[in-house]
Amino acid sequence: MATVASPPINVPSDLVDAIRSFPSERVVEHCGTRWSVSPFDIYATCPKCRAEVKLRAFSGCAEIEDVFDAVFEWMNQPKTEQLIRDRQRAIGNDA
């Protein structure tokens, strides 16, 4: 069976640093109220007025959350579960 190498892609070091420091929550402010949501949420509901607040731009330019979404999509493919567990274990051992 022949192996196919991935094409080389120049990933900016700023992107890698941004992913490493990506927060585990997003603070939202609306109606004078602050609350936390998942950084991956697209919408949040204001606990005070119940208005739906849009959190992601979905404009012509990509956001860092789009990078995570692409990785999550890859992770949902068949046969990736074991690869993910193995890599998480290796990263944990290196920490």
Side-chain angles (χ1 to χ4, degrees):
M1 174 194 255
T3 59
V4 177
S6 299
I9 298 173
N10 293 323
V11 178
S13 62
D14 290 349
L15 175 59
V16 175
D17 292 342
I19 291 170
R20 280 194 179 116
S21 64
F22 193 74
S24 59
E25 66 181 8
R26 177 186 299 212
V27 176
V28 181
E29 291 188 45
H30 191 267
C31 293
T33 303
R34 291 173 58 125
W35 73 99
S36 297
V37 298
S38 164
F40 304 114
D41 285 353
I42 297 171
Y43 296 97
T45 302
C46 175
K48 186 173 182 179
C49 73
R50 309 306 298 166
E52 188 173 63
V53 180
K54 188 175 180 183
L55 304 174
R56 289 176 60 180
F58 289 108
S59 62
C61 68
E63 300 175 302
I64 190 166
E65 292 88 353
D66 298 326
V67 175
F68 280 96
D69 284 348
V71 172
F72 295 150
E73 287 174 24
W74 178 86
M75 292 170 72
N76 274 333
Q77 293 182 74
K79 301 182 181 180
T80 59
E81 188 175 322
Q82 187 61 48
L83 299 171
I84 295 163
R85 278 198 307 267
D86 291 348
R87 185 64 188 139
Q88 287 174 325
R89 190 172 15 265
I91 290 170
N93 291 338
D94 289 345

XYZ file of all heavy atoms in Angstrom:
746
model
N 0.845 -1.167 0.000
C 0.000 0.000 0.000
C 0.892 1.231 0.000
O 1.763 1.369 0.846
C -0.920 0.000 1.221
C -1.728 1.262 1.356
S -2.467 1.415 2.978
C -4.139 1.034 2.598
N 0.689 2.134 -0.930
C 1.485 3.353 -1.022
C 0.940 4.387 -0.047
O -0.262 4.464 0.201
C 1.438 3.901 -2.440
N 1.826 5.173 0.509
C 1.399 6.259 1.386
C 1.427 7.557 0.604
O 2.243 7.749 -0.291
C 2.317 6.379 2.618
O 3.652 6.618 2.171
C 2.257 5.130 3.463
N 0.524 8.438 0.951
C 0.435 9.734 0.300
C 0.758 10.788 1.342
O 0.095 10.868 2.377
C -0.975 9.972 -0.288
C -1.075 11.343 -0.905
C -1.315 8.884 -1.287
N 1.793 11.569 1.088
C 2.178 12.620 2.021
C 1.263 13.824 1.854
O 0.813 14.130 0.759
C 3.629 13.026 1.780
N 0.995 14.480 2.956
C 0.210 15.713 2.896
C 1.038 16.799 2.241
O 2.251 16.860 2.448
C -0.164 16.164 4.313
O -0.942 15.190 4.943
N 0.397 17.644 1.465
C 1.160 18.739 0.859
C 1.648 19.692 1.949
O 0.952 19.901 2.944
C 0.142 19.423 -0.054
C -1.189 19.029 0.465
C -1.007 17.693 1.126
N 2.835 20.249 1.784
C 3.333 21.169 2.810
C 2.478 22.437 2.851
O 2.118 22.987 1.805
C 4.750 21.487 2.345
C 4.780 21.158 0.901
C 3.754 20.101 0.672
N 2.122 22.841 4.047
C 1.321 24.048 4.251
C 2.046 24.893 5.294
O 2.403 24.387 6.366
C -0.096 23.712 4.748
C -0.835 22.889 3.708
C -0.865 24.976 5.080
C -2.174 22.366 4.169
N 2.266 26.137 4.976
C 2.902 27.041 5.925
C 1.853 27.553 6.903
O 0.999 28.359 6.538
C 3.569 28.212 5.203
C 4.749 27.760 4.376
O 5.479 26.860 4.781
N 4.933 28.362 3.218
N 1.911 27.070 8.125
C 0.990 27.496 9.164
C 1.685 28.582 9.978
O 2.750 28.340 10.545
C 0.596 26.306 10.078
C -0.322 26.773 11.187
C -0.053 25.205 9.257
N 1.100 29.764 10.030
C 1.747 30.848 10.776
C 1.884 30.496 12.262
O 0.969 29.933 12.860
C 0.807 32.035 10.599
C -0.129 31.662 9.501
C -0.151 30.172 9.420
N 3.032 30.835 12.823
C 3.248 30.551 14.249
C 2.250 31.309 15.112
O 1.881 30.845 16.192
C 4.688 30.887 14.657
O 4.949 32.262 14.464
N 1.768 32.467 14.637
C 0.748 33.209 15.389
C -0.533 32.393 15.529
O -1.209 32.460 16.554
C 0.417 34.530 14.698
C 1.543 35.548 14.779
O 2.507 35.321 15.534
O 1.451 36.569 14.073
N -0.875 31.621 14.510
C -2.073 30.779 14.573
C -1.890 29.678 15.610
O -2.780 29.427 16.423
C -2.391 30.170 13.209
C -3.561 29.171 13.179
C -4.849 29.825 13.647
C -3.712 28.592 11.791
N -0.738 29.038 15.598
C -0.461 27.982 16.577
C -0.512 28.557 17.987
O -1.113 27.971 18.895
C 0.897 27.303 16.284
C 1.240 26.298 17.364
C 0.875 26.640 14.913
N 0.092 29.726 18.197
C 0.060 30.371 19.520
C -1.368 30.731 19.930
O -1.748 30.558 21.095
C 0.928 31.633 19.518
C 2.406 31.337 19.393
O 2.818 30.175 19.648
O 3.168 32.260 19.027
N -2.166 31.222 18.971
C -3.552 31.583 19.276
C -4.366 30.360 19.679
O -5.197 30.429 20.588
C -4.189 32.278 18.070
N -4.120 29.233 19.028
C -4.832 28.003 19.381
C -4.415 27.539 20.775
O -5.257 27.150 21.592
C -4.588 26.917 18.321
C -5.291 27.305 17.020
C -5.059 25.541 18.814
C -4.927 26.444 15.828
N -3.130 27.587 21.060
C -2.657 27.160 22.389
C -3.243 28.010 23.522
O -3.471 27.512 24.613
C -1.131 27.242 22.446
C -0.452 26.085 21.805
C 1.028 26.029 22.165
N 1.625 24.882 21.534
C 2.570 24.940 20.604
N 3.053 26.102 20.220
N 3.035 23.840 20.061
N -3.458 29.285 23.244
C -3.956 30.183 24.298
C -5.455 30.456 24.183
O -5.976 31.339 24.870
C -3.178 31.500 24.251
O -3.400 32.179 23.025
N -6.136 29.698 23.331
C -7.568 29.907 23.131
C -8.313 29.701 24.447
O -8.082 28.709 25.154
C -8.084 28.937 22.060
C -9.450 29.272 21.553
C -9.638 30.344 20.706
C -10.539 28.507 21.908
C -10.893 30.658 20.215
C -11.801 28.807 21.429
C -11.984 29.889 20.579
N -9.195 30.631 24.808
C -9.881 30.527 26.106
C -10.898 29.385 26.139
O -11.418 28.970 25.109
C -10.580 31.880 26.234
C -10.773 32.345 24.836
C -9.598 31.802 24.053
N -11.185 28.916 27.328
C -12.160 27.836 27.489
C -13.570 28.374 27.699
O -14.522 27.602 27.827
C -11.774 26.945 28.671
O -11.722 27.715 29.860
N -13.707 29.688 27.740
C -15.031 30.304 27.837
C -14.992 31.679 27.182
O -13.920 32.262 27.008
C -15.492 30.427 29.288
C -14.660 31.378 30.121
C -15.111 31.475 31.570
O -15.982 30.701 31.995
O -14.591 32.339 32.274
N -16.157 32.150 26.801
C -16.294 33.488 26.222
C -17.226 34.270 27.134
O -18.300 33.778 27.485
C -16.903 33.382 24.823
C -17.161 34.726 24.169
C -17.888 34.576 22.859
N -17.067 33.790 21.957
C -17.046 33.944 20.645
N -17.804 34.841 20.066
N -16.286 33.198 19.890
N -16.816 35.466 27.518
C -17.658 36.321 28.344
C -18.482 37.202 27.415
O -17.947 37.854 26.515
C -16.807 37.180 29.308
C -17.690 38.139 30.089
C -16.021 36.288 30.252
N -19.798 37.187 27.633
C -20.734 37.939 26.818
C -21.379 39.014 27.685
O -21.688 38.761 28.853
C -21.829 37.005 26.239
C -22.802 37.771 25.373
C -21.196 35.862 25.478
N -21.540 40.188 27.119
C -22.223 41.279 27.820
C -23.423 41.725 27.008
O -23.327 41.926 25.799
C -21.283 42.465 28.011
C -20.168 42.201 28.996
C -19.367 43.448 29.308
O -19.992 44.513 29.539
O -18.135 43.357 29.328
N -24.568 41.850 27.675
C -25.796 42.322 27.026
C -26.725 42.790 28.126
O -26.805 42.152 29.182
C -26.436 41.200 26.197
C -27.523 41.658 25.300
N -28.843 41.657 25.667
C -27.482 42.148 24.034
C -29.569 42.101 24.660
N -28.760 42.412 23.651
N -27.405 43.899 27.933
C -28.361 44.445 28.920
C -27.700 44.700 30.273
O -28.340 44.559 31.316
C -29.545 43.503 29.128
S -30.628 43.323 27.729
N -26.429 44.998 30.275
C -25.724 45.233 31.533
C -25.421 43.959 32.296
O -24.999 44.002 33.452
N -25.625 42.819 31.678
C -25.381 41.523 32.305
C -24.191 40.857 31.631
O -24.016 40.949 30.427
C -26.630 40.616 32.147
O -27.751 41.281 32.709
C -26.440 39.276 32.828
N -23.355 40.203 32.426
C -22.220 39.443 31.897
C -22.400 37.982 32.266
O -22.781 37.663 33.388
C -20.905 39.941 32.519
C -20.492 41.314 32.086
C -19.281 41.782 32.875
N -18.178 40.850 32.703
C -16.974 41.192 32.288
N -16.697 42.439 32.042
N -16.030 40.301 32.149
N -22.128 37.101 31.307
C -22.187 35.669 31.569
C -21.214 34.967 30.644
O -20.731 35.541 29.681
C -23.613 35.144 31.447
C -24.172 35.046 30.063
C -24.248 33.917 29.302
C -24.728 36.084 29.254
N -24.815 34.186 28.074
C -25.115 35.523 28.023
C -24.927 37.450 29.446
C -25.696 36.265 27.002
C -25.496 38.183 28.425
C -25.873 37.596 27.229
N -20.910 33.724 30.952
C -19.951 32.947 30.177
C -20.658 31.899 29.334
O -21.652 31.309 29.776
C -18.962 32.240 31.103
O -18.222 33.183 31.822
N -20.108 31.677 28.137
C -20.611 30.643 27.235
C -19.415 29.911 26.647
O -18.258 30.336 26.817
C -21.482 31.240 26.103
C -22.707 31.937 26.669
C -20.676 32.180 25.223
N -19.679 28.845 25.941
C -18.618 28.128 25.244
C -18.022 29.042 24.178
O -18.753 29.778 23.512
C -19.192 26.870 24.571
O -18.283 26.370 23.611
N -16.710 28.988 23.975
C -16.108 29.824 22.933
C -16.528 29.391 21.525
O -16.282 30.109 20.561
C -14.611 29.634 23.145
C -14.485 28.313 23.816
C -15.719 28.165 24.664
N -17.182 28.249 21.409
C -17.613 27.752 20.111
C -19.076 28.038 19.814
O -19.549 27.769 18.711
C -17.341 26.249 20.005
C -15.902 25.918 20.258
C -15.532 25.188 21.368
C -14.906 26.371 19.403
C -14.203 24.901 21.617
C -13.575 26.094 19.644
C -13.221 25.357 20.753
N -19.802 28.583 20.795
C -21.210 28.910 20.573
C -21.340 29.967 19.486
O -20.549 30.912 19.413
C -21.869 29.427 21.854
C -22.163 28.338 22.863
O -21.973 27.143 22.533
O -22.566 28.674 23.993
N -22.347 29.810 18.661
C -22.624 30.781 17.602
C -23.590 31.837 18.120
O -23.470 33.011 17.793
C -23.184 30.067 16.358
C -22.118 29.099 15.828
C -23.607 31.074 15.298
C -22.615 28.166 14.741
N -24.532 31.432 18.950
C -25.510 32.326 19.553
C -25.561 32.073 21.052
O -25.248 30.979 21.517
C -26.909 32.086 18.971
C -27.022 32.401 17.503
C -26.909 31.392 16.545
C -27.253 33.699 17.069
C -27.008 31.675 15.193
C -27.350 33.985 15.710
C -27.226 32.972 14.786
O -27.326 33.254 13.448
N -25.983 33.098 21.782
C -26.226 32.958 23.219
C -27.527 33.690 23.533
O -27.873 34.665 22.861
C -25.077 33.548 24.029
N -28.217 33.237 24.549
C -29.452 33.887 24.971
C -29.175 34.704 26.212
O -28.660 34.186 27.207
C -30.550 32.836 25.255
O -30.763 32.068 24.058
C -31.848 33.494 25.671
N -29.503 35.982 26.153
C -29.297 36.874 27.296
C -30.176 36.409 28.451
O -31.391 36.260 28.282
C -29.645 38.311 26.902
S -29.561 39.478 28.290
N -29.565 36.165 29.624
C -30.365 35.688 30.751
C -31.323 36.756 31.292
O -32.290 36.424 31.957
C -29.321 35.300 31.794
C -28.091 36.039 31.409
C -28.150 36.253 29.935
N -31.075 38.017 30.956
C -31.923 39.100 31.468
C -33.136 39.358 30.572
O -34.267 39.343 31.031
C -31.101 40.374 31.620
C -31.829 41.509 32.275
C -30.889 42.665 32.530
C -31.601 43.803 33.245
N -30.677 44.908 33.497
N -32.896 39.575 29.260
C -34.002 39.934 28.364
C -34.413 38.807 27.426
O -35.359 38.938 26.664
C -33.639 41.171 27.546
S -32.424 40.856 26.241
N -33.665 37.682 27.442
C -33.916 36.501 26.619
C -33.677 36.738 25.123
O -34.072 35.926 24.297
C -35.344 35.947 26.832
C -35.754 35.718 28.280
C -34.828 34.870 29.084
N -34.696 33.519 28.562
C -33.748 32.671 28.927
N -32.850 33.038 29.811
N -33.673 31.474 28.420
N -33.016 37.848 24.779
C -32.682 38.104 23.375
C -31.571 37.160 22.935
O -30.695 36.788 23.730
C -32.224 39.549 23.192
N -31.621 36.776 21.667
C -30.568 35.931 21.105
C -29.464 36.850 20.583
O -29.719 37.741 19.773
C -31.131 35.065 19.990
C -30.157 34.038 19.499
C -30.795 33.078 18.514
O -31.231 33.516 17.448
O -30.854 31.880 18.837
N -28.240 36.610 21.063
C -27.090 37.429 20.709
C -26.182 36.612 19.802
O -25.795 35.494 20.150
C -26.318 37.859 21.988
C -25.126 38.716 21.636
C -27.242 38.563 22.960
N -25.846 37.163 18.636
C -24.945 36.475 17.705
C -23.504 36.698 18.162
O -23.088 37.822 18.416
C -25.148 37.008 16.286
C -24.393 36.229 15.246
C -24.744 36.731 13.847
C -23.993 35.939 12.813
N -24.253 36.424 11.461
N -22.739 35.610 18.254
C -21.386 35.688 18.789
C -20.298 35.573 17.734
O -19.182 36.018 17.950
C -21.168 34.584 19.837
C -22.169 34.569 20.993
C -21.925 33.356 21.871
C -22.085 35.856 21.788
N -20.603 34.937 16.623
C -19.609 34.755 15.562
C -20.027 35.536 14.330
O -21.209 35.627 14.008
C -19.431 33.272 15.245
C -18.702 32.565 16.398
C -18.551 31.092 16.226
N -17.796 30.700 15.052
C -17.563 29.431 14.736
N -18.008 28.448 15.503
N -16.871 29.120 13.660
N -19.023 36.070 13.634
C -19.289 36.999 12.542
C -19.773 36.320 11.269
O -20.651 36.837 10.589
C -18.034 37.814 12.244
N -19.186 35.180 10.887
C -19.499 34.514 9.625
C -19.385 35.482 8.453
O -20.220 35.537 7.568
C -20.874 33.838 9.643
C -20.902 32.635 10.513
C -21.561 32.655 11.717
C -20.235 31.485 10.145
C -21.577 31.538 12.538
C -20.249 30.360 10.960
C -20.913 30.404 12.159
N -18.328 36.267 8.475
C -18.077 37.209 7.379
C -17.204 36.524 6.330
O -16.982 35.326 6.373
C -17.380 38.448 7.924
O -16.125 38.086 8.473
N -16.701 37.312 5.409
C -15.864 36.773 4.348
C -14.519 36.266 4.829
O -13.875 35.476 4.155
N -14.077 36.709 6.003
C -12.779 36.235 6.500
C -12.988 35.174 7.578
O -13.963 35.201 8.310
C -11.937 37.394 7.022
S -12.560 38.157 8.510
N -12.051 34.260 7.635
C -12.145 33.159 8.600
C -11.763 33.645 9.996
O -10.922 34.518 10.160
C -11.230 32.024 8.168
N -12.398 33.055 10.977
C -12.090 33.321 12.382
C -11.394 32.089 12.952
O -11.486 30.999 12.376
C -13.377 33.578 13.170
C -14.174 34.762 12.669
C -15.502 34.904 13.394
O -16.308 33.950 13.357
O -15.715 35.949 14.002
N -10.743 32.259 14.082
C -10.029 31.121 14.679
C -11.001 29.984 15.004
O -10.649 28.808 14.914
C -9.204 31.551 15.902
C -8.288 30.407 16.325
C -10.107 32.012 17.037
C -7.205 30.807 17.292
N -12.245 30.314 15.327
C -13.235 29.275 15.604
C -13.466 28.398 14.372
O -13.787 27.213 14.512
C -14.565 29.907 16.067
C -14.494 30.576 17.421
C -14.047 32.042 17.358
O -13.653 32.519 16.275
O -14.096 32.699 18.401
N -13.282 28.959 13.183
C -13.420 28.182 11.954
C -12.337 27.112 11.850
O -12.573 26.025 11.321
C -13.362 29.089 10.724
C -14.497 30.100 10.690
O -15.611 29.749 11.147
O -14.273 31.229 10.218
N -11.155 27.424 12.368
C -10.065 26.436 12.386
C -10.453 25.280 13.305
O -10.310 24.111 12.944
C -8.731 27.083 12.839
C -7.640 26.035 12.981
C -8.312 28.180 11.874
N -10.960 25.609 14.489
C -11.406 24.562 15.410
C -12.529 23.737 14.785
O -12.531 22.508 14.904
C -11.882 25.175 16.736
C -10.779 25.542 17.674
C -10.295 26.827 17.727
C -10.212 24.592 18.512
C -9.279 27.181 18.593
C -9.195 24.925 19.381
C -8.720 26.225 19.427
N -13.477 24.389 14.122
C -14.572 23.660 13.487
C -14.038 22.660 12.462
O -14.511 21.525 12.385
C -15.554 24.620 12.810
C -16.458 25.334 13.802
O -16.506 24.937 14.985
O -17.132 26.300 13.381
N -13.040 23.082 11.686
C -12.445 22.171 10.694
C -11.787 20.982 11.383
O -11.914 19.834 10.922
C -11.428 22.917 9.832
N -11.104 21.222 12.486
C -10.474 20.128 13.235
C -11.540 19.209 13.820
O -11.431 17.985 13.744
C -9.542 20.678 14.342
C -9.036 19.554 15.241
C -8.374 21.444 13.731
N -12.599 19.792 14.380
C -13.683 18.973 14.931
C -14.336 18.121 13.847
O -14.689 16.965 14.083
C -14.733 19.842 15.627
C -14.238 20.567 16.857
C -14.783 21.783 17.217
C -13.223 20.048 17.645
C -14.348 22.453 18.342
C -12.769 20.707 18.777
C -13.340 21.916 19.122
N -14.510 18.688 12.658
C -15.068 17.917 11.543
C -14.156 16.741 11.204
O -14.619 15.627 10.964
C -15.252 18.810 10.313
C -16.398 19.779 10.442
C -16.464 20.752 9.274
O -15.960 20.424 8.176
O -17.024 21.843 9.461
N -12.843 16.995 11.179
C -11.883 15.915 10.912
C -11.991 14.847 11.987
O -11.964 13.651 11.689
C -10.462 16.479 10.845
C -9.449 15.412 10.619
C -9.047 14.896 9.419
C -8.732 14.669 11.614
N -8.122 13.903 9.612
C -7.911 13.747 10.960
C -8.705 14.717 13.004
C -7.073 12.868 11.637
C -7.873 13.840 13.681
C -7.070 12.927 12.994
N -12.133 15.276 13.238
C -12.205 14.332 14.353
C -13.448 13.446 14.279
O -13.451 12.354 14.838
C -12.176 15.089 15.687
C -10.844 15.759 15.962
S -10.881 16.876 17.388
C -10.981 15.687 18.726
N -14.489 13.901 13.596
C -15.726 13.127 13.471
C -15.669 12.073 12.372
O -16.615 11.310 12.201
C -16.917 14.059 13.209
C -17.509 14.592 14.487
O -17.420 13.974 15.535
N -18.110 15.755 14.399
N -14.586 12.020 11.633
C -14.461 11.029 10.572
C -14.298 9.626 11.171
O -13.757 9.471 12.266
C -13.230 11.316 9.711
C -13.315 12.576 8.898
C -12.074 12.728 8.063
O -11.915 12.015 7.079
N -11.197 13.627 8.463
N -14.741 8.625 10.428
C -14.504 7.260 10.883
C -12.997 7.006 11.028
O -12.193 7.569 10.300
C -15.088 6.396 9.764
C -16.009 7.296 9.011
C -15.466 8.690 9.170
N -12.635 6.188 11.963
C -11.259 5.739 12.182
C -10.336 6.779 12.823
O -9.142 6.534 12.936
C -10.626 5.238 10.891
C -11.373 4.093 10.244
C -10.679 3.620 9.004
C -11.466 2.503 8.362
N -10.846 2.003 7.150
N -10.841 7.945 13.228
C -9.940 8.929 13.844
C -9.916 8.835 15.367
O -9.001 9.360 15.993
C -10.311 10.363 13.447
O -11.651 10.629 13.863
C -10.154 10.592 11.960
N -10.885 8.152 15.950
C -10.995 8.101 17.415
C -9.713 7.581 18.075
O -9.203 8.181 19.021
C -12.194 7.236 17.817
C -12.499 7.289 19.296
C -13.768 6.529 19.637
O -14.732 6.580 18.846
O -13.765 5.880 20.686
N -9.174 6.498 17.586
C -7.961 5.933 18.167
C -6.766 6.860 17.930
O -5.923 7.027 18.811
C -7.659 4.546 17.609
C -6.504 3.843 18.309
C -6.770 3.621 19.796
O -7.838 3.149 20.187
N -5.807 3.972 20.634
N -6.683 7.459 16.764
C -5.600 8.407 16.481
C -5.619 9.572 17.465
O -4.580 9.999 17.967
C -5.732 8.960 15.053
C -5.655 7.975 13.906
C -6.019 8.664 12.596
C -4.264 7.355 13.834
N -6.821 10.064 17.731
C -6.986 11.183 18.660
C -6.561 10.781 20.063
O -5.803 11.497 20.731
C -8.446 11.678 18.636
C -8.778 12.261 17.262
C -8.704 12.687 19.744
C -10.259 12.402 16.990
N -7.037 9.623 20.530
C -6.663 9.152 21.878
C -5.157 8.958 21.998
O -4.547 9.337 23.002
C -7.401 7.858 22.211
C -8.808 8.080 22.713
C -9.336 6.836 23.431
N -9.230 5.625 22.649
C -10.193 5.130 21.869
N -11.329 5.763 21.771
N -10.019 4.005 21.212
N -4.541 8.366 20.973
C -3.090 8.142 21.005
C -2.336 9.461 21.082
O -1.379 9.589 21.848
C -2.634 7.363 19.761
C -3.129 5.927 19.751
O -3.627 5.434 20.790
O -3.049 5.301 18.662
N -2.772 10.439 20.305
C -2.063 11.730 20.303
C -2.280 12.463 21.619
O -1.361 13.081 22.157
C -2.529 12.597 19.119
C -1.753 13.879 18.996
C -0.292 13.604 18.700
N 0.469 14.844 18.780
C 1.672 14.966 19.322
N 2.303 13.904 19.796
N 2.268 16.110 19.353
N -3.493 12.419 22.172
C -3.756 13.045 23.463
C -2.889 12.419 24.552
O -2.338 13.118 25.405
C -5.228 12.930 23.833
C -6.112 13.838 23.025
C -7.590 13.607 23.297
O -8.032 12.475 23.546
N -8.364 14.676 23.222
N -2.731 11.116 24.509
C -1.893 10.433 25.483
C -0.432 10.867 25.325
O 0.253 11.161 26.304
C -2.031 8.910 25.322
C -1.391 8.102 26.419
C -1.681 6.600 26.361
N -2.224 6.044 25.129
C -3.525 5.845 24.884
N -4.417 6.176 25.769
N -3.924 5.310 23.741
N 0.046 10.964 24.082
C 1.431 11.379 23.843
C 1.661 12.812 24.323
O 2.693 13.109 24.944
C 1.772 11.267 22.364
N 0.707 13.682 24.064
C 0.833 15.071 24.515
C 0.831 15.112 26.039
O 1.625 15.838 26.652
C -0.288 15.935 23.928
C -0.081 16.124 22.426
C -0.366 17.294 24.629
C -1.264 16.756 21.708
N -0.041 14.338 26.668
C -0.085 14.280 28.135
C 1.214 13.770 28.731
O 1.658 14.251 29.769
N 1.836 12.814 28.076
C 3.117 12.275 28.558
C 4.247 13.287 28.413
O 5.205 13.244 29.182
C 3.475 10.977 27.826
C 2.555 9.840 28.203
O 1.916 9.849 29.251
N 2.443 8.860 27.333
N 4.148 14.155 27.413
C 5.175 15.182 27.189
C 5.042 16.370 28.119
O 5.984 17.128 28.276
C 5.131 15.679 25.740
C 5.642 14.638 24.750
O 6.281 13.668 25.184
O 5.367 14.804 23.547
N 3.860 16.542 28.698
C 3.613 17.728 29.534
C 4.339 17.681 30.852
O 4.812 16.787 31.362
C 2.122 17.880 29.784
